[in-house]
Amino acid sequence: MPQSKNWSVLLLVLVLSWSSFPSTTFAQGTTQTTPTAPTIPTPGMAPTPLPGPAPGAVPLPAAAPQPKIDKGDTAWMLTSSALVLMMTIPGLFLFYGGLVRSKNALGTIMHSFIIVAVVTIQWALWGYSLAFGPDIGGGWIGNLDWFGLNGVGPEPNADYAATIPHAAFMIYQMMFAIITPALITGAFAERVKFSSFLVFIILWATFIYDPLAHWVWGVKGLLREMGALDFAGGTVVHISSGASALVAAIMFGKRIGYGQEAMPPHNLPFSVIGAGLLWVGWFGFNAGSALAADGLATSAFVSTHIATAAAVLAWLAMDWIVRGKPTVLGAASGAVAGLVAITPGAGFVGPISAIWIGIGGGVLCSMACSLKPKLGYDDSLDVVGVHGVGGTWGALATGLFASKAVNAAGNDGLFFGNPGQLWTQLIAVVFTLILAMVGTFIILSIVKAVMGLRVADDEERIGLDLSQHNERAYE
């Protein structure tokens, strides 16, 4: 009898369970619902409502997927952040430090090193909020809602990167903010007063870099809304630094003895090592700008490497033609030129297009650097010729070679049937040049009036190492 009772209970449970799924069948893990025929109304009776929303009702939008941290994406972005930091220290300070005379080696290295500290604090306090914070209106700049990184923590921000912590996105962008003014220092190397240099960097980061980053990458940013494509910083980083370098070189004036005495690199192996570190670190710069460990990051990685190799060969060919011999400095400079040129289009172009962009970068930047003495300005380390010219070519080349087949979130360029993108890129270049050149002129004019820009002549002759830091690189 107890056993019969157990079976009765079990049978009752099965019946009740089955009755709760009256129209459901299961096939290979997929749940399907058997459709029910609508009831035909009897004359004189109210009709039975059909399935679906009531007439005139507005259907509710599908819920957007909630941001969720992906460990692989986060690991890649933190690694990319470290790679971009490596581009400044030690990559850039070795590249620049080897190109100056030995009496200025430490001073030049110090410029890149101290910028890491200065811009880090500026970015954490107000820079990040100005660049990526909620737009104040018109797409010009962000507000100060995120001052002191308020609200920037471990949760993702879906507006920028939905699979990594907001703080990870912030620290990655910080590394871009660090290297950009560091690039400018090559224009006034060997003659800048250190105290004036510090003030200039803070003002330039605040009034040039932060607004420009908001224009191009910030939500509702002016150039972003216009449709300008800049995957990893052709306008934000390279055109801005190159244009500012031109203004700075003219306002600082020529080094004592420039054009009358030789000023060769004091340690070319340092510069080649620095260029090598830049090449490696640039994968974090460009491929990291995909903001995820995915196919787009791979595409950007591939195009970056191919374009750089093409630029090295193109610059060496120019050396061979113009100077009669291929030079090691030419190879290193060609690598940097190729990296600069591919930056804005890295995530929008394919491998063959990357080759053409690299060749253009190598040839045009080599020509620009050769023209510098004829144009009469003293850009000590060719920031204008490499970053200004290379960044401009890269931004415009993106308007030529971009393809939605590579990145559906981008656009097609001229060679893929959309000439309007080239026009948009040109507008972005012009906007960037105006902001960088006018803004830099105003900032340097203020600093010059208050503090002066250059060291005294006797301090320049003994070198920045001793005059500004009371140290020697070599005994």
Side-chain angles (χ1 to χ4, degrees), residues 67 77 85 115 155 164 175 219 244 260-261 281 351 416 472:
M77 293 313 301
L85 177 60
I115 278 175
E155 297 302 319
I164 64 174
M175 303 312 169
V219 172
S244 297
Q260 282 79 47
E261 61 184 73
F416 292 87
R472 293 180 186 272

Side-chain angles (χ1 to χ4, degrees), residues 85 88-89 93 106-122 178 181-182 185 192-195 197-199 201-202 469:
L85 177 60
T88 305
I89 53 172
F93 80 49
L106 284 180
T108 302
I109 288 172
M110 181 63 161
H111 291 162
S112 294
F113 198 88
I114 201 63
I115 278 175
V116 175
V118 170
V119 175
T120 292
I121 301 303
Q122 184 268 355
I178 286 170
T185 63
V192 63
K193 185 188 296 185
F194 189 69
S195 56
F197 159 79
L198 291 174
V199 174
I201 293 301
I202 295 172
H469 307 293

Side-chain angles (χ1 to χ4, degrees), residues 171-183:
I171 201 75
Y172 179 68
Q173 294 297 337
M174 177 191 287
M175 303 312 169
F176 282 66
I178 286 170
I179 195 170
T180 306
L183 296 173

Side-chain angles (χ1 to χ4, degrees), residues 360-431:
V363 171
L364 293 173
C365 293
S366 175
M367 292 173 62
C369 293
S370 297
L371 286 173
K372 181 182 67 173
K374 298 178 182 179
L375 296 176
Y377 64 92
D378 182 11
D379 171 14
S380 307
L381 306 181
D382 289 318
V383 184
V384 179
V386 174
H387 296 277
V389 173
T392 301
W393 158 245
L396 296 177
T398 302
L400 298 174
F401 295 102
S403 171
K404 294 182 75 171
V406 176
N407 186 347
N411 212 340
D412 289 324
L414 173 65
F415 295 154
F416 292 87
N418 180 25
Q421 189 60 46
L422 179 60
W423 175 248
T424 301
Q425 296 300 109
L426 178 60
I427 293 174
V429 169
V430 172
F431 271 58

Side-chain angles (χ1 to χ4, degrees), residues 6 26 77 111-112 123 137 144 206 216 237 275 283 308 363 380 406 438 442 460 465:
N6 289 341
F26 299 91
M77 293 313 301
H111 291 162
S112 294
W123 191 251
L144 291 175
T206 301
V216 176
V237 176
F283 293 124
T308 305
V363 171
S380 307
V406 176
V438 174
I442 293 172
E460 183 177 340
D465 292 4

